[in-house]
């Protein structure tokens, strides 16, 4: 090894990342080169100082401040956004399976609640399918929103 | 109040904290407050803001604990939260500078008297002048004891970039130490 090669391997030598064969060549060069001995001493001092940094302490009462700032109520499992990922496709599927009774029920509800003058289009499989697809689409939106919420609050950090 | 749980294993404390046990979480805060605060100080260079960042990191950790599956070490997970909190604060504050620009300020010349205890202070002062990315990689490697791979994962940077940042930062520190202190002073301290 010459001086340039030693200087390039200096940090790996100090942090013991240099391969054993290269380490032997490094040592052999070191015996006869004062300049590289100086470089090694300097780098060893830098690495050793960095490795032994003191742990600083935050101000008194830090732990109590943290505990006092914790959100009092953790989000319950029932309200967890993870449910939306499961519920949305399930609801969408159910809406599709029961699309005909759904539209019947919707028509009856509108009639009973006094807004019966809204005339629904004739009940066809096509219309019922559109209604179910709209419900499924809404479910998909909830799923996307839930996924984004989970990413922001649980996974990103 | 926290004494009886102090010897409880980390795994148990994490599990209890995830289920909402504030006392168990308090023990974890006691265990890691120094590490997180020091890490935040190194990254942010401002003790007041570092304390806020450390506090925010613990609060985020508390909220996210039910989702912690133990795939990584709890400490690595906590460091990641603290790193992200500090970096997002730093990004709001100032534009990034290059290594040469940050370290290129001329020095008056070697000091007259230099003692062993001055080494830590001098190095820390020079570390604080490093660009954010270099300082973060150096802190995570030397202070937090993370591997290149863990740092790359945490900072979302290629491992080669992380290694290059650490190598360049150490080389810059060596040069600055020699410029500021002088070989004669350093020689006495290192070989005394």
């Amino acid at each position: 090894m010459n001086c340039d090669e030693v200087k390039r391997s200096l940090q790996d030598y100090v942090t013991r990342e240099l391969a054993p064969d290269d380490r032997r060549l490094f040592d052999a060069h070191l015996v006869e080169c004062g300049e590289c001995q100086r470089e090694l001493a300097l780098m060893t001092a830098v690495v050793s100082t960095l490795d032994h940094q003191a742990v600083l302490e935050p101000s008194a009462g830090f732990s109590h401040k943290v505990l006092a700032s914790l959100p009092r109520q953790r989000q319950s499992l029932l309200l967890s956004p993870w449910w939306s990922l499961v519920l949305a496709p399930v609801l969408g599927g159910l809406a599709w399976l029961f699309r005909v009774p759904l539209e019947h029920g919707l028509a009856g509800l509108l009639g009973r609640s006094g807004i019966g003058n809204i005339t629904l289009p004739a009940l066809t499989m096509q219309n019922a399918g559109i209604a179910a697809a709209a419900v499924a689409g809404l479910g998909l939106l909830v799923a996307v929103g839930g996924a984004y919420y989970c990413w922001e609050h649980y996974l990103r950090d | 109040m926290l004494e009886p749980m102090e010897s409880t294993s980390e795994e148990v404390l994490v599990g209890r904290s995830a289920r909402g046990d504030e006392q168990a979480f308090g023990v974890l805060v006691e265990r890691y407050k120094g590490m997180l605060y020091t890490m935040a100080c190194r990254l942010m260079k401002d003790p007041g803001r570092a304390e806020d960042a450390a506090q925010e990191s613990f609060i985020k950790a508390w909220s996210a604990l039910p989702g912690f599956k133990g795939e990584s070490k709890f400490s690595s997970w906590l460091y990641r939260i603290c790193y992200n909190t500090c970096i997002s604060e730093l990004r709001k504050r100032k534009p990034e500078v290059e290594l040469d620009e940050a370290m290129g300020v001329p020095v008056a010349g070697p000091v007259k008297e230099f003692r062993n205890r001055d080494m830590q202070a001098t190095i820390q002062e020079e570390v604080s002048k490093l660009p954010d990315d270099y300082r973060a990689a150096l802190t995570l490697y030397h202070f937090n004891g993370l591997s290149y791979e863990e740092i790359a994962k945490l900072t979302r940077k290629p491992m080669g970039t992380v290694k290059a940042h650490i190598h360049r930062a150490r080389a810059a520190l060596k040069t600055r130490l020699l410029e500021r202190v002088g070989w004669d002073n350093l020689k006495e301290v290192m070989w005394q």
Side-chain angles (χ1 to χ4, degrees):
Chain A
M1 261 191 194
N2 58 30
C3 288
D4 285 340
E5 287 167 329
V6 162
K7 277 169 192 160
R8 273 200 300 275
S9 313
L10 197 59
Q11 298 197 29
D12 287 341
Y13 181 88
V14 174
T15 54
R16 303 192 165 274
E17 291 169 70
L18 202 63
D21 286 348
D22 291 335
R23 204 172 172 84
R24 273 191 288 277
L25 293 172
F26 191 105
D27 285 333
H29 175 87
L30 216 57
V31 174
E32 56 195 36
C33 182
E35 171 69 19
C36 287
Q37 285 173 18
R38 194 182 85 154
E39 289 293 308
L40 177 65
L42 276 168
M43 187 51 78
T44 306
V46 168
V47 169
S48 165
T49 308
L50 289 170
D51 276 340
H52 296 95
Q53 295 175 68
V55 177
L56 309 172
E57 284 301 315
S59 60
F62 174 85
S63 303
H64 288 288
K65 244 186 331 192
V66 169
L67 294 179
S69 310
L70 296 180
R72 287 302 104 187
Q73 276 190 319
R74 273 247 185 84
Q75 205 158 34
S76 73
L77 190 62
L78 200 66
L79 297 174
S80 163
W82 293 103
W83 279 107
S84 65
L85 300 179
V86 179
L87 278 180
V90 169
L91 283 177
L94 285 174
W96 178 258
L97 277 175
F98 299 102
R99 55 195 182 279
V100 176
L102 255 178
E103 203 183 72
H104 274 300
L106 190 64
L109 191 72
L110 287 174
R112 278 198 303 278
S113 59
I115 42 174
N117 53 350
I118 296 171
T119 41
L120 282 172
L123 181 63
T124 63
M125 280 301 280
Q126 193 188 0
N127 287 337
I130 291 167
V135 174
L138 194 68
L140 192 66
L141 275 178
V142 173
V144 170
Y148 178 72
Y149 185 91
C150 292
W151 164 252
E152 278 292 314
H153 291 82
Y154 295 96
L155 302 176
R156 209 168 152 187
D157 281 339
Chain B
M1 186 179 101
L2 303 175
E3 282 77 5
M5 291 183 95
E6 269 177 351
S7 54
T8 311
S9 78
E10 186 168 287
E11 205 183 337
V12 171
L13 289 170
V14 170
R16 285 191 194 173
S17 303
R19 291 190 294 275
D21 184 339
E22 287 186 14
Q23 198 185 348
F25 190 68
V27 180
L28 290 174
V29 172
E30 278 297 317
R31 276 188 197 173
Y32 283 100
K33 67 179 182 184
M35 286 298 279
L36 245 59
Y37 173 64
T38 311
M39 181 184 169
C41 278
R42 301 275 180 263
L43 295 178
M44 304 192 72
K45 304 186 288 182
D46 177 339
R49 295 183 72 151
E51 192 160 315
D52 289 345
Q55 188 176 339
E56 196 184 326
S57 304
F58 278 120
I59 294 168
K60 280 184 183 172
W62 166 259
S63 300
L65 256 172
F68 175 65
K69 298 283 176 277
E71 283 154 1
S72 61
K73 281 192 286 184
F74 174 72
S75 57
S76 305
W77 181 77
L78 202 56
Y79 296 155
R80 185 160 68 234
I81 293 177
C82 186
Y83 170 83
N84 286 337
T85 305
C86 294
I87 291 300
S88 94
E89 270 301 305
L90 283 172
R91 280 186 187 139
K92 288 180 205 161
R93 227 163 56 177
K94 62 176 175 68
E96 273 287 299
V97 288
E98 294 299 318
L99 181 67
D100 294 344
E101 196 184 330
M103 306 297 281
V105 186
V107 286
V111 292
K112 288 216 169 62
E113 202 181 343
F114 188 79
R115 293 188 183 89
N116 200 15
R117 64 171 182 270
D118 299 326
M119 182 81 93
Q120 184 72 251
T122 309
I123 297 260
Q124 280 316 327
E125 204 183 314
E126 291 302 326
V127 167
S128 73
K129 293 177 191 165
L130 290 168
D132 295 344
D133 283 348
Y134 290 74
R135 205 172 58 252
L138 208 63
T139 302
L140 292 167
Y141 185 87
H142 285 287
F143 181 71
N144 298 98
L146 301 187
S147 65
Y148 294 126
E149 198 181 349
E150 285 173 312
I151 299 169
K153 215 167 145 189
L154 194 157
T155 57
R156 298 189 180 105
K157 287 186 169 67
M159 203 158 82
T161 306
V162 167
K163 205 170 173 182
H165 281 173
I166 293 172
H167 275 230
R168 281 186 216 143
R170 285 193 202 123
L173 290 175
K174 180 173 72 71
T175 306
R176 291 290 287 186
L177 188 68
L178 192 59
E179 281 174 3
R180 282 186 58 169
V181 183
W183 175 242
D184 289 339
N185 284 321
L186 279 169
K187 195 167 56 181
E188 276 181 34
V189 169
M190 289 188 298
W191 290 336
Q192 70 187 1

